Amino acid sequence: IDATLDLRDLRRDGIDLAIRYCAVQGAAGEPLFDETLQPVCAPALRRDRRRPLKQPADLRHHNLLQIAVPVGVQGMPNEWQSWLVAVGAAQVQPAAVLSFNAYDAAVAAAVAGQGVLLGRRPLVAALLARGELVTPFPEGLVSARGYFVVVEPAASQRPGVRQLRDWLLAQA
């Protein structure tokens, strides 16, 4: 398993199958699912009366959690800015911005109450269902990115690779 954002050459690197997170427009492979971006936070953060979190402008009282864009990764947008523009709050300046090098670390920080994360639905759906995260605002933004399964052409003839591809598509 290679869990990086690097765009790897499947044949050259000996990879049979990849799940790619990339721009929907022009993406290679078969779509698994798209995503909606929506702010999420710990329930206690939303209930904090000293720092209200009732409308997007209230983000000025909170830390925004984001993923640091690795050097050399092309086309990875600053999604907080896109979301703020979409909801008419482009001028909001948060208390601080905390950057993480992995999405799961940013999610853990949100669950721990360290700030507000731009959640990727469906990736945070289970945490929302369990009440570990909540959505302080109803506004979501359909992302221009999605998840795709790509199979190296020569590997597509192997039964195990086909079975994994089929299983991934059925789960999505």
Side-chain angles (χ1 to χ4, degrees), residues 34-87:
D34 55 9
E35 68 181 1
T36 298
L37 305 172
Q38 186 171 21
V40 297
C41 65
L45 198 62
R46 186 174 67 179
R47 291 189 306 262
D48 186 346
R49 293 182 192 267
R50 294 173 298 119
R51 298 179 302 155
L53 199 50
K54 297 180 188 283
Q55 58 189 5
D58 293 334
L59 289 169
R60 70 185 181 277
H61 303 294
H62 296 274
N63 298 331
L64 297 187
L65 310 176
Q66 68 177 13
I67 307 306
V69 179
V71 175
V73 174
Q74 302 277 334
M76 183 66 99
N78 178 340
E79 290 160 336
W80 264 117
Q81 190 59 39
S82 299
W83 185 86
L84 289 167
V85 167
V87 300

mmCIF file of all heavy atoms in Angstrom, residues 34-87:
data_model
loop_
_atom_site.group_PDB
_atom_site.id
_atom_site.type_symbol
_atom_site.label_atom_id
_atom_site.label_comp_id
_atom_site.label_asym_id
_atom_site.label_seq_id
_atom_site.Cartn_x
_atom_site.Cartn_y
_atom_site.Cartn_z
ATOM 1 N N ASP A 34 -17.776 10.772 -5.370
ATOM 2 C CA ASP A 34 -17.377 12.171 -5.290
ATOM 3 C C ASP A 34 -17.469 12.586 -3.830
ATOM 4 O O ASP A 34 -17.673 11.751 -2.949
ATOM 5 C CB ASP A 34 -18.238 13.056 -6.194
ATOM 6 C CG ASP A 34 -19.721 12.919 -5.911
ATOM 7 O OD1 ASP A 34 -20.102 12.274 -4.917
ATOM 8 O OD2 ASP A 34 -20.517 13.476 -6.673
ATOM 9 N N GLU A 35 -17.294 13.853 -3.564
ATOM 10 C CA GLU A 35 -17.354 14.293 -2.179
ATOM 11 C C GLU A 35 -17.983 15.672 -2.069
ATOM 12 O O GLU A 35 -17.985 16.453 -3.013
ATOM 13 C CB GLU A 35 -15.959 14.304 -1.550
ATOM 14 C CG GLU A 35 -15.040 15.344 -2.130
ATOM 15 C CD GLU A 35 -13.651 15.331 -1.513
ATOM 16 O OE1 GLU A 35 -13.367 14.495 -0.635
ATOM 17 O OE2 GLU A 35 -12.835 16.159 -1.913
ATOM 18 N N THR A 36 -18.529 15.919 -0.902
ATOM 19 C CA THR A 36 -19.040 17.236 -0.541
ATOM 20 C C THR A 36 -18.211 17.727 0.632
ATOM 21 O O THR A 36 -17.944 16.974 1.570
ATOM 22 C CB THR A 36 -20.531 17.158 -0.145
ATOM 23 O OG1 THR A 36 -21.275 16.695 -1.283
ATOM 24 C CG2 THR A 36 -21.062 18.510 0.279
ATOM 25 N N LEU A 37 -17.789 18.971 0.556
ATOM 26 C CA LEU A 37 -16.990 19.578 1.609
ATOM 27 C C LEU A 37 -17.908 20.351 2.546
ATOM 28 O O LEU A 37 -18.702 21.175 2.097
ATOM 29 C CB LEU A 37 -15.949 20.522 0.999
ATOM 30 C CG LEU A 37 -15.043 19.890 -0.060
ATOM 31 C CD1 LEU A 37 -14.186 20.946 -0.728
ATOM 32 C CD2 LEU A 37 -14.188 18.804 0.556
ATOM 33 N N GLN A 38 -17.810 20.065 3.830
ATOM 34 C CA GLN A 38 -18.674 20.719 4.816
ATOM 35 C C GLN A 38 -17.917 20.845 6.134
ATOM 36 O O GLN A 38 -17.286 19.890 6.583
ATOM 37 C CB GLN A 38 -19.953 19.908 5.027
ATOM 38 C CG GLN A 38 -20.946 20.590 5.926
ATOM 39 C CD GLN A 38 -22.274 19.864 5.940
ATOM 40 O OE1 GLN A 38 -22.361 18.695 5.619
ATOM 41 N NE2 GLN A 38 -23.308 20.564 6.339
ATOM 42 N N PRO A 39 -17.962 22.024 6.760
ATOM 43 C CA PRO A 39 -17.286 22.170 8.044
ATOM 44 C C PRO A 39 -17.823 21.183 9.075
ATOM 45 O O PRO A 39 -19.033 20.952 9.158
ATOM 46 C CB PRO A 39 -17.608 23.614 8.451
ATOM 47 C CG PRO A 39 -17.843 24.309 7.158
ATOM 48 C CD PRO A 39 -18.533 23.287 6.306
ATOM 49 N N VAL A 40 -16.895 20.613 9.847
ATOM 50 C CA VAL A 40 -17.235 19.703 10.934
ATOM 51 C C VAL A 40 -16.364 20.049 12.144
ATOM 52 O O VAL A 40 -15.260 20.584 11.996
ATOM 53 C CB VAL A 40 -17.047 18.217 10.552
ATOM 54 C CG1 VAL A 40 -17.988 17.823 9.416
ATOM 55 C CG2 VAL A 40 -15.605 17.917 10.168
ATOM 56 N N CYS A 41 -16.888 19.742 13.326
ATOM 57 C CA CYS A 41 -16.136 19.997 14.555
ATOM 58 C C CYS A 41 -16.654 19.085 15.657
ATOM 59 O O CYS A 41 -17.678 18.414 15.494
ATOM 60 C CB CYS A 41 -16.255 21.462 14.970
ATOM 61 S SG CYS A 41 -17.926 21.972 15.418
ATOM 62 N N ALA A 42 -15.965 19.099 16.772
ATOM 63 C CA ALA A 42 -16.411 18.346 17.940
ATOM 64 C C ALA A 42 -17.679 18.996 18.493
ATOM 65 O O ALA A 42 -17.831 20.221 18.435
ATOM 66 C CB ALA A 42 -15.322 18.342 19.001
ATOM 67 N N PRO A 43 -18.600 18.207 19.038
ATOM 68 C CA PRO A 43 -19.830 18.777 19.594
ATOM 69 C C PRO A 43 -19.577 19.860 20.643
ATOM 70 O O PRO A 43 -20.274 20.873 20.677
ATOM 71 C CB PRO A 43 -20.542 17.566 20.205
ATOM 72 C CG PRO A 43 -20.003 16.387 19.472
ATOM 73 C CD PRO A 43 -18.587 16.739 19.111
ATOM 74 N N ALA A 44 -18.570 19.676 21.488
ATOM 75 C CA ALA A 44 -18.281 20.666 22.537
ATOM 76 C C ALA A 44 -17.878 22.011 21.938
ATOM 77 O O ALA A 44 -18.195 23.059 22.503
ATOM 78 C CB ALA A 44 -17.177 20.146 23.455
ATOM 79 N N LEU A 45 -17.207 21.991 20.813
ATOM 80 C CA LEU A 45 -16.795 23.237 20.168
ATOM 81 C C LEU A 45 -18.008 24.011 19.671
ATOM 82 O O LEU A 45 -18.087 25.232 19.816
ATOM 83 C CB LEU A 45 -15.842 22.925 19.010
ATOM 84 C CG LEU A 45 -14.999 24.062 18.487
ATOM 85 C CD1 LEU A 45 -14.074 24.598 19.561
ATOM 86 C CD2 LEU A 45 -14.176 23.581 17.297
ATOM 87 N N ARG A 46 -18.968 23.305 19.126
ATOM 88 C CA ARG A 46 -20.184 23.971 18.651
ATOM 89 C C ARG A 46 -21.011 24.537 19.810
ATOM 90 O O ARG A 46 -21.678 25.555 19.673
ATOM 91 C CB ARG A 46 -21.048 23.026 17.812
ATOM 92 C CG ARG A 46 -22.245 23.759 17.198
ATOM 93 C CD ARG A 46 -23.043 22.914 16.265
ATOM 94 N NE ARG A 46 -23.707 21.847 17.004
ATOM 95 C CZ ARG A 46 -24.484 20.958 16.446
ATOM 96 N NH1 ARG A 46 -24.690 20.961 15.146
ATOM 97 N NH2 ARG A 46 -25.061 20.022 17.167
ATOM 98 N N ARG A 47 -20.953 23.896 20.970
ATOM 99 C CA ARG A 47 -21.727 24.349 22.137
ATOM 100 C C ARG A 47 -21.042 25.456 22.931
ATOM 101 O O ARG A 47 -21.642 26.010 23.850
ATOM 102 C CB ARG A 47 -21.977 23.167 23.073
ATOM 103 C CG ARG A 47 -22.930 22.140 22.530
ATOM 104 C CD ARG A 47 -23.305 21.122 23.598
ATOM 105 N NE ARG A 47 -22.161 20.500 24.229
ATOM 106 C CZ ARG A 47 -21.663 19.304 23.902
ATOM 107 N NH1 ARG A 47 -22.228 18.601 22.936
ATOM 108 N NH2 ARG A 47 -20.624 18.811 24.534
ATOM 109 N N ASP A 48 -19.800 25.789 22.629
ATOM 110 C CA ASP A 48 -19.025 26.770 23.393
ATOM 111 C C ASP A 48 -19.661 28.156 23.274
ATOM 112 O O ASP A 48 -19.622 28.789 22.230
ATOM 113 C CB ASP A 48 -17.584 26.794 22.869
ATOM 114 C CG ASP A 48 -16.668 27.688 23.692
ATOM 115 O OD1 ASP A 48 -17.159 28.500 24.497
ATOM 116 O OD2 ASP A 48 -15.450 27.568 23.496
ATOM 117 N N ARG A 49 -20.260 28.632 24.353
ATOM 118 C CA ARG A 49 -20.967 29.930 24.340
ATOM 119 C C ARG A 49 -19.999 31.110 24.236
ATOM 120 O O ARG A 49 -20.381 32.180 23.774
ATOM 121 C CB ARG A 49 -21.831 30.069 25.583
ATOM 122 C CG ARG A 49 -22.987 29.095 25.601
ATOM 123 C CD ARG A 49 -23.840 29.312 26.846
ATOM 124 N NE ARG A 49 -24.773 28.236 27.040
ATOM 125 C CZ ARG A 49 -26.014 28.241 26.581
ATOM 126 N NH1 ARG A 49 -26.451 29.263 25.900
ATOM 127 N NH2 ARG A 49 -26.801 27.220 26.799
ATOM 128 N N ARG A 50 -18.761 30.942 24.678
ATOM 129 C CA ARG A 50 -17.790 32.030 24.591
ATOM 130 C C ARG A 50 -17.345 32.282 23.151
ATOM 131 O O ARG A 50 -16.942 33.381 22.812
ATOM 132 C CB ARG A 50 -16.555 31.727 25.449
ATOM 133 C CG ARG A 50 -16.857 31.683 26.945
ATOM 134 C CD ARG A 50 -15.656 31.217 27.753
ATOM 135 N NE ARG A 50 -15.275 29.847 27.390
ATOM 136 C CZ ARG A 50 -14.088 29.501 26.879
ATOM 137 N NH1 ARG A 50 -13.160 30.396 26.693
ATOM 138 N NH2 ARG A 50 -13.840 28.243 26.579
ATOM 139 N N ARG A 51 -17.393 31.227 22.351
ATOM 140 C CA ARG A 51 -17.001 31.335 20.941
ATOM 141 C C ARG A 51 -18.118 30.723 20.089
ATOM 142 O O ARG A 51 -18.055 29.553 19.733
ATOM 143 C CB ARG A 51 -15.688 30.601 20.690
ATOM 144 C CG ARG A 51 -14.525 31.176 21.475
ATOM 145 C CD ARG A 51 -13.243 30.419 21.223
ATOM 146 N NE ARG A 51 -13.397 28.995 21.557
ATOM 147 C CZ ARG A 51 -12.657 28.035 21.017
ATOM 148 N NH1 ARG A 51 -11.753 28.305 20.130
ATOM 149 N NH2 ARG A 51 -12.841 26.780 21.380
ATOM 150 N N PRO A 52 -19.130 31.510 19.776
ATOM 151 C CA PRO A 52 -20.267 30.957 19.031
ATOM 152 C C PRO A 52 -19.829 30.393 17.681
ATOM 153 O O PRO A 52 -18.826 30.810 17.103
ATOM 154 C CB PRO A 52 -21.189 32.161 18.859
ATOM 155 C CG PRO A 52 -20.318 33.344 18.997
ATOM 156 C CD PRO A 52 -19.223 32.953 19.945
ATOM 157 N N LEU A 53 -20.602 29.443 17.221
ATOM 158 C CA LEU A 53 -20.351 28.812 15.929
ATOM 159 C C LEU A 53 -21.701 28.555 15.270
ATOM 160 O O LEU A 53 -22.133 27.436 15.089
ATOM 161 C CB LEU A 53 -19.566 27.510 16.132
ATOM 162 C CG LEU A 53 -18.824 26.904 14.958
ATOM 163 C CD1 LEU A 53 -17.949 27.927 14.246
ATOM 164 C CD2 LEU A 53 -17.989 25.732 15.399
ATOM 165 N N LYS A 54 -22.377 29.677 14.950
ATOM 166 C CA LYS A 54 -23.738 29.604 14.407
ATOM 167 C C LYS A 54 -23.818 29.982 12.934
ATOM 168 O O LYS A 54 -24.766 29.628 12.256
ATOM 169 C CB LYS A 54 -24.663 30.498 15.219
ATOM 170 C CG LYS A 54 -24.791 30.067 16.668
ATOM 171 C CD LYS A 54 -25.725 30.992 17.422
ATOM 172 C CE LYS A 54 -25.725 30.721 18.896
ATOM 173 N NZ LYS A 54 -26.435 29.598 19.337
ATOM 174 N N GLN A 55 -22.834 30.743 12.451
ATOM 175 C CA GLN A 55 -22.807 31.164 11.047
ATOM 176 C C GLN A 55 -21.356 31.204 10.585
ATOM 177 O O GLN A 55 -20.451 31.290 11.415
ATOM 178 C CB GLN A 55 -23.480 32.523 10.888
ATOM 179 C CG GLN A 55 -22.849 33.609 11.725
ATOM 180 C CD GLN A 55 -23.678 34.879 11.698
ATOM 181 O OE1 GLN A 55 -24.753 34.920 11.136
ATOM 182 N NE2 GLN A 55 -23.150 35.926 12.301
ATOM 183 N N PRO A 56 -21.115 31.133 9.284
ATOM 184 C CA PRO A 56 -19.737 31.078 8.793
ATOM 185 C C PRO A 56 -18.832 32.207 9.305
ATOM 186 O O PRO A 56 -17.642 31.977 9.553
ATOM 187 C CB PRO A 56 -19.905 31.127 7.276
ATOM 188 C CG PRO A 56 -21.219 30.452 7.040
ATOM 189 C CD PRO A 56 -22.083 30.919 8.196
ATOM 190 N N ALA A 57 -19.370 33.393 9.514
ATOM 191 C CA ALA A 57 -18.545 34.500 10.025
ATOM 192 C C ALA A 57 -17.964 34.185 11.406
ATOM 193 O O ALA A 57 -16.920 34.731 11.788
ATOM 194 C CB ALA A 57 -19.364 35.786 10.070
ATOM 195 N N ASP A 58 -18.603 33.282 12.164
ATOM 196 C CA ASP A 58 -18.109 32.909 13.493
ATOM 197 C C ASP A 58 -16.804 32.122 13.441
ATOM 198 O O ASP A 58 -16.147 31.942 14.479
ATOM 199 C CB ASP A 58 -19.163 32.097 14.245
ATOM 200 C CG ASP A 58 -20.389 32.923 14.593
ATOM 201 O OD1 ASP A 58 -20.259 34.163 14.710
ATOM 202 O OD2 ASP A 58 -21.465 32.319 14.747
ATOM 203 N N LEU A 59 -16.395 31.679 12.271
ATOM 204 C CA LEU A 59 -15.121 30.970 12.150
ATOM 205 C C LEU A 59 -13.950 31.851 12.561
ATOM 206 O O LEU A 59 -12.863 31.355 12.842
ATOM 207 C CB LEU A 59 -14.935 30.443 10.723
ATOM 208 C CG LEU A 59 -15.843 29.284 10.342
ATOM 209 C CD1 LEU A 59 -15.775 29.014 8.855
ATOM 210 C CD2 LEU A 59 -15.494 28.039 11.142
ATOM 211 N N ARG A 60 -14.173 33.160 12.637
ATOM 212 C CA ARG A 60 -13.098 34.069 13.059
ATOM 213 C C ARG A 60 -12.657 33.785 14.500
ATOM 214 O O ARG A 60 -11.562 34.164 14.900
ATOM 215 C CB ARG A 60 -13.540 35.526 12.894
ATOM 216 C CG ARG A 60 -14.604 35.976 13.865
ATOM 217 C CD ARG A 60 -15.073 37.412 13.565
ATOM 218 N NE ARG A 60 -16.065 37.862 14.501
ATOM 219 C CZ ARG A 60 -17.353 37.591 14.429
ATOM 220 N NH1 ARG A 60 -17.830 36.856 13.434
ATOM 221 N NH2 ARG A 60 -18.193 38.056 15.329
ATOM 222 N N HIS A 61 -13.489 33.117 15.274
ATOM 223 C CA HIS A 61 -13.170 32.778 16.665
ATOM 224 C C HIS A 61 -12.480 31.420 16.803
ATOM 225 O O HIS A 61 -12.179 31.006 17.922
ATOM 226 C CB HIS A 61 -14.450 32.720 17.511
ATOM 227 C CG HIS A 61 -15.253 33.973 17.494
ATOM 228 N ND1 HIS A 61 -14.812 35.158 18.038
ATOM 229 C CD2 HIS A 61 -16.479 34.227 16.975
ATOM 230 C CE1 HIS A 61 -15.736 36.088 17.873
ATOM 231 N NE2 HIS A 61 -16.752 35.549 17.234
ATOM 232 N N HIS A 62 -12.272 30.718 15.703
ATOM 233 C CA HIS A 62 -11.835 29.323 15.772
ATOM 234 C C HIS A 62 -10.610 29.053 14.909
ATOM 235 O O HIS A 62 -10.316 29.789 13.973
ATOM 236 C CB HIS A 62 -12.983 28.404 15.326
ATOM 237 C CG HIS A 62 -14.156 28.490 16.242
ATOM 238 N ND1 HIS A 62 -14.260 27.740 17.377
ATOM 239 C CD2 HIS A 62 -15.258 29.285 16.203
ATOM 240 C CE1 HIS A 62 -15.380 28.039 18.004
ATOM 241 N NE2 HIS A 62 -16.010 28.981 17.314
ATOM 242 N N ASN A 63 -9.949 27.949 15.227
ATOM 243 C CA ASN A 63 -8.855 27.447 14.397
ATOM 244 C C ASN A 63 -9.451 26.689 13.224
ATOM 245 O O ASN A 63 -10.383 25.895 13.408
ATOM 246 C CB ASN A 63 -7.975 26.471 15.182
ATOM 247 C CG ASN A 63 -7.306 27.118 16.369
ATOM 248 O OD1 ASN A 63 -7.037 28.316 16.363
ATOM 249 N ND2 ASN A 63 -7.041 26.319 17.386
ATOM 250 N N LEU A 64 -8.922 26.918 12.043
ATOM 251 C CA LEU A 64 -9.294 26.117 10.882
ATOM 252 C C LEU A 64 -8.237 25.034 10.707
ATOM 253 O O LEU A 64 -7.036 25.309 10.767
ATOM 254 C CB LEU A 64 -9.379 26.971 9.617
ATOM 255 C CG LEU A 64 -10.443 28.066 9.608
ATOM 256 C CD1 LEU A 64 -10.518 28.714 8.226
ATOM 257 C CD2 LEU A 64 -11.794 27.540 10.023
ATOM 258 N N LEU A 65 -8.687 23.824 10.511
ATOM 259 C CA LEU A 65 -7.799 22.685 10.301
ATOM 260 C C LEU A 65 -7.757 22.388 8.814
ATOM 261 O O LEU A 65 -8.799 22.344 8.157
ATOM 262 C CB LEU A 65 -8.319 21.470 11.074
ATOM 263 C CG LEU A 65 -8.652 21.705 12.554
ATOM 264 C CD1 LEU A 65 -9.235 20.446 13.170
ATOM 265 C CD2 LEU A 65 -7.430 22.183 13.309
ATOM 266 N N GLN A 66 -6.553 22.193 8.286
ATOM 267 C CA GLN A 66 -6.432 21.945 6.847
ATOM 268 C C GLN A 66 -5.287 20.968 6.581
ATOM 269 O O GLN A 66 -4.471 20.709 7.452
ATOM 270 C CB GLN A 66 -6.180 23.239 6.093
ATOM 271 C CG GLN A 66 -4.828 23.857 6.362
ATOM 272 C CD GLN A 66 -4.582 25.115 5.545
ATOM 273 O OE1 GLN A 66 -5.500 25.667 4.945
ATOM 274 N NE2 GLN A 66 -3.354 25.560 5.507
ATOM 275 N N ILE A 67 -5.260 20.477 5.364
ATOM 276 C CA ILE A 67 -4.191 19.593 4.919
ATOM 277 C C ILE A 67 -3.149 20.450 4.222
ATOM 278 O O ILE A 67 -3.475 21.242 3.329
ATOM 279 C CB ILE A 67 -4.720 18.521 3.940
ATOM 280 C CG1 ILE A 67 -5.897 17.770 4.547
ATOM 281 C CG2 ILE A 67 -3.609 17.560 3.522
ATOM 282 C CD1 ILE A 67 -5.655 17.173 5.883
ATOM 283 N N ALA A 68 -1.885 20.284 4.627
ATOM 284 C CA ALA A 68 -0.795 20.997 3.956
ATOM 285 C C ALA A 68 -0.609 20.383 2.579
ATOM 286 O O ALA A 68 -0.628 19.162 2.422
ATOM 287 C CB ALA A 68 0.490 20.872 4.765
ATOM 288 N N VAL A 69 -0.461 21.224 1.585
ATOM 289 C CA VAL A 69 -0.259 20.737 0.223
ATOM 290 C C VAL A 69 1.219 20.418 0.053
ATOM 291 O O VAL A 69 2.064 21.310 0.175
ATOM 292 C CB VAL A 69 -0.718 21.781 -0.808
ATOM 293 C CG1 VAL A 69 -0.476 21.283 -2.214
ATOM 294 C CG2 VAL A 69 -2.181 22.110 -0.600
ATOM 295 N N PRO A 70 1.551 19.151 -0.213
ATOM 296 C CA PRO A 70 2.957 18.799 -0.391
ATOM 297 C C PRO A 70 3.570 19.517 -1.598
ATOM 298 O O PRO A 70 2.898 19.751 -2.594
ATOM 299 C CB PRO A 70 2.924 17.291 -0.633
ATOM 300 C CG PRO A 70 1.588 16.837 -0.173
ATOM 301 C CD PRO A 70 0.671 18.008 -0.327
ATOM 302 N N VAL A 71 4.837 19.850 -1.485
ATOM 303 C CA VAL A 71 5.549 20.484 -2.591
ATOM 304 C C VAL A 71 5.515 19.552 -3.795
ATOM 305 O O VAL A 71 5.739 18.354 -3.676
ATOM 306 C CB VAL A 71 7.014 20.779 -2.181
ATOM 307 C CG1 VAL A 71 7.803 21.319 -3.362
ATOM 308 C CG2 VAL A 71 7.039 21.748 -1.022
ATOM 309 N N GLY A 72 5.177 20.091 -4.942
ATOM 310 C CA GLY A 72 5.167 19.310 -6.165
ATOM 311 C C GLY A 72 3.834 18.662 -6.499
ATOM 312 O O GLY A 72 3.677 18.098 -7.567
ATOM 313 N N VAL A 73 2.852 18.719 -5.590
ATOM 314 C CA VAL A 73 1.534 18.153 -5.879
ATOM 315 C C VAL A 73 0.736 19.212 -6.627
ATOM 316 O O VAL A 73 0.486 20.293 -6.112
ATOM 317 C CB VAL A 73 0.802 17.704 -4.597
ATOM 318 C CG1 VAL A 73 -0.618 17.272 -4.920
ATOM 319 C CG2 VAL A 73 1.563 16.566 -3.932
ATOM 320 N N GLN A 74 0.372 18.911 -7.833
ATOM 321 C CA GLN A 74 -0.320 19.844 -8.705
ATOM 322 C C GLN A 74 -1.831 19.789 -8.492
ATOM 323 O O GLN A 74 -2.384 18.725 -8.289
ATOM 324 C CB GLN A 74 -0.023 19.508 -10.172
ATOM 325 C CG GLN A 74 1.441 19.528 -10.518
ATOM 326 C CD GLN A 74 1.938 20.923 -10.803
ATOM 327 O OE1 GLN A 74 1.177 21.786 -11.195
ATOM 328 N NE2 GLN A 74 3.219 21.154 -10.587
ATOM 329 N N GLY A 75 -2.473 20.936 -8.541
ATOM 330 C CA GLY A 75 -3.924 20.993 -8.592
ATOM 331 C C GLY A 75 -4.651 20.740 -7.283
ATOM 332 O O GLY A 75 -5.845 20.524 -7.281
ATOM 333 N N MET A 76 -3.953 20.763 -6.154
ATOM 334 C CA MET A 76 -4.616 20.572 -4.868
ATOM 335 C C MET A 76 -5.053 21.946 -4.369
ATOM 336 O O MET A 76 -4.233 22.778 -4.021
ATOM 337 C CB MET A 76 -3.659 19.920 -3.864
ATOM 338 C CG MET A 76 -4.315 19.623 -2.540
ATOM 339 S SD MET A 76 -5.598 18.380 -2.647
ATOM 340 C CE MET A 76 -4.706 16.971 -2.089
ATOM 341 N N PRO A 77 -6.353 22.211 -4.369
ATOM 342 C CA PRO A 77 -6.826 23.556 -4.026
ATOM 343 C C PRO A 77 -6.842 23.828 -2.526
ATOM 344 O O PRO A 77 -6.846 22.908 -1.718
ATOM 345 C CB PRO A 77 -8.259 23.547 -4.571
ATOM 346 C CG PRO A 77 -8.667 22.113 -4.427
ATOM 347 C CD PRO A 77 -7.418 21.289 -4.694
ATOM 348 N N ASN A 78 -6.837 25.100 -2.177
ATOM 349 C CA ASN A 78 -7.086 25.495 -0.799
ATOM 350 C C ASN A 78 -8.603 25.486 -0.649
ATOM 351 O O ASN A 78 -9.278 26.443 -0.982
ATOM 352 C CB ASN A 78 -6.513 26.881 -0.508
ATOM 353 C CG ASN A 78 -6.823 27.317 0.914
ATOM 354 O OD1 ASN A 78 -7.728 26.811 1.557
ATOM 355 N ND2 ASN A 78 -6.055 28.262 1.393
ATOM 356 N N GLU A 79 -9.134 24.402 -0.148
ATOM 357 C CA GLU A 79 -10.580 24.206 -0.154
ATOM 358 C C GLU A 79 -11.303 25.094 0.845
ATOM 359 O O GLU A 79 -12.466 25.417 0.655
ATOM 360 C CB GLU A 79 -10.895 22.728 0.033
ATOM 361 C CG GLU A 79 -10.495 21.970 -1.223
ATOM 362 C CD GLU A 79 -10.303 20.503 -1.021
ATOM 363 O OE1 GLU A 79 -10.018 20.073 0.113
ATOM 364 O OE2 GLU A 79 -10.420 19.778 -2.013
ATOM 365 N N TRP A 80 -10.639 25.508 1.924
ATOM 366 C CA TRP A 80 -11.296 26.430 2.848
ATOM 367 C C TRP A 80 -11.642 27.717 2.130
ATOM 368 O O TRP A 80 -12.736 28.251 2.286
ATOM 369 C CB TRP A 80 -10.414 26.728 4.064
ATOM 370 C CG TRP A 80 -10.715 25.872 5.253
ATOM 371 C CD1 TRP A 80 -9.863 24.980 5.847
ATOM 372 C CD2 TRP A 80 -11.937 25.811 5.993
ATOM 373 N NE1 TRP A 80 -10.492 24.372 6.904
ATOM 374 C CE2 TRP A 80 -11.772 24.872 7.025
ATOM 375 C CE3 TRP A 80 -13.164 26.465 5.884
ATOM 376 C CZ2 TRP A 80 -12.769 24.575 7.937
ATOM 377 C CZ3 TRP A 80 -14.169 26.164 6.794
ATOM 378 C CH2 TRP A 80 -13.963 25.223 7.806
ATOM 379 N N GLN A 81 -10.724 28.233 1.331
ATOM 380 C CA GLN A 81 -11.001 29.481 0.630
ATOM 381 C C GLN A 81 -12.173 29.305 -0.332
ATOM 382 O O GLN A 81 -13.055 30.162 -0.401
ATOM 383 C CB GLN A 81 -9.763 29.990 -0.114
ATOM 384 C CG GLN A 81 -9.924 31.378 -0.659
ATOM 385 C CD GLN A 81 -10.229 32.411 0.438
ATOM 386 O OE1 GLN A 81 -9.680 32.355 1.532
ATOM 387 N NE2 GLN A 81 -11.124 33.342 0.158
ATOM 388 N N SER A 82 -12.228 28.199 -1.038
ATOM 389 C CA SER A 82 -13.346 27.930 -1.956
ATOM 390 C C SER A 82 -14.671 27.878 -1.198
ATOM 391 O O SER A 82 -15.679 28.426 -1.648
ATOM 392 C CB SER A 82 -13.135 26.606 -2.698
ATOM 393 O OG SER A 82 -11.972 26.651 -3.472
ATOM 394 N N TRP A 83 -14.675 27.202 -0.049
ATOM 395 C CA TRP A 83 -15.909 27.095 0.732
ATOM 396 C C TRP A 83 -16.326 28.460 1.267
ATOM 397 O O TRP A 83 -17.500 28.832 1.191
ATOM 398 C CB TRP A 83 -15.734 26.093 1.886
ATOM 399 C CG TRP A 83 -17.008 25.859 2.628
ATOM 400 C CD1 TRP A 83 -17.992 24.960 2.305
ATOM 401 C CD2 TRP A 83 -17.485 26.570 3.778
ATOM 402 N NE1 TRP A 83 -19.027 25.060 3.199
ATOM 403 C CE2 TRP A 83 -18.743 26.043 4.114
ATOM 404 C CE3 TRP A 83 -16.968 27.589 4.556
ATOM 405 C CZ2 TRP A 83 -19.490 26.500 5.193
ATOM 406 C CZ3 TRP A 83 -17.705 28.063 5.636
ATOM 407 C CH2 TRP A 83 -18.953 27.515 5.946
ATOM 408 N N LEU A 84 -15.389 29.231 1.801
ATOM 409 C CA LEU A 84 -15.712 30.563 2.334
ATOM 410 C C LEU A 84 -16.266 31.476 1.245
ATOM 411 O O LEU A 84 -17.237 32.203 1.472
ATOM 412 C CB LEU A 84 -14.475 31.185 2.990
ATOM 413 C CG LEU A 84 -14.044 30.543 4.312
ATOM 414 C CD1 LEU A 84 -12.644 31.008 4.704
ATOM 415 C CD2 LEU A 84 -15.049 30.838 5.418
ATOM 416 N N VAL A 85 -15.691 31.431 0.060
ATOM 417 C CA VAL A 85 -16.208 32.232 -1.060
ATOM 418 C C VAL A 85 -17.627 31.787 -1.403
ATOM 419 O O VAL A 85 -18.520 32.607 -1.591
ATOM 420 C CB VAL A 85 -15.277 32.123 -2.285
ATOM 421 C CG1 VAL A 85 -15.939 32.674 -3.537
ATOM 422 C CG2 VAL A 85 -13.957 32.854 -2.018
ATOM 423 N N ALA A 86 -17.858 30.472 -1.453
ATOM 424 C CA ALA A 86 -19.166 29.940 -1.831
ATOM 425 C C ALA A 86 -20.274 30.352 -0.865
ATOM 426 O O ALA A 86 -21.423 30.503 -1.279
ATOM 427 C CB ALA A 86 -19.112 28.416 -1.933
ATOM 428 N N VAL A 87 -19.940 30.557 0.418
ATOM 429 C CA VAL A 87 -20.962 30.928 1.404
ATOM 430 C C VAL A 87 -20.961 32.422 1.707
ATOM 431 O O VAL A 87 -21.626 32.871 2.652
ATOM 432 C CB VAL A 87 -20.843 30.100 2.708
ATOM 433 C CG1 VAL A 87 -21.016 28.612 2.417
ATOM 434 C CG2 VAL A 87 -19.546 30.391 3.432
#
